[in-house]
Amino acid sequence: MDPRPQATGGAPPGRTVTDGDGRLWHVFVVEEGMRWDPEIEMRRRSWLCCDRGDQRRYISPLPADWMRWSESELLAAIAEAKPDHRG
């Protein structure tokens, strides 16, 4: 998969990777001030949103070099990411 930033269907630019189940994850940066919930724990810093439609996870704080990670490194980070249960 091409690791360069991509935009998919109006989603923020980021990366799209396919997991071992064949599901697409869209990974993008959420900047301070773009948060969905004003009470979210990492509201003072940017973070990565990992979204596959039926599931959303986050990586915080934002890894500075995440755009240079290989697809396997990004998938490993997604697997370890915290689940976002806010619906």
Side-chain angles (χ1 to χ4, degrees):
M1 168 132 292
D2 185 350
R4 291 176 294 186
Q6 302 171 11
T8 54
R15 291 179 61 183
T16 302
V17 293
T18 304
D19 68 16
D21 295 328
R23 294 186 162 198
L24 291 176
W25 285 90
H26 184 64
V27 182
F28 57 94
V29 175
V30 176
E31 299 284 344
E32 181 179 352
M34 290 177 50
R35 60 196 176 271
W36 291 307
D37 183 335
E39 298 304 318
I40 195 164
E41 78 177 63
M42 69 293 244
R43 66 179 175 249
R44 302 260 183 240
R45 57 188 164 199
S46 300
W47 49 285
L48 277 182
C49 179
C50 310
D51 187 353
R52 75 172 195 190
D54 65 334
Q55 190 176 138
R56 192 168 55 203
R57 299 179 183 185
Y58 65 90
I59 300 171
S60 178
L62 176 66
D65 61 346
W66 76 277
M67 287 296 289
R68 291 190 296 266
W69 291 354
S70 68
E71 185 169 318
S72 60
E73 288 172 317
L74 185 54
L75 287 169
I78 292 169
E80 296 294 320
K82 296 174 186 170
D84 184 349
H85 298 293
R86 291 173 295 130

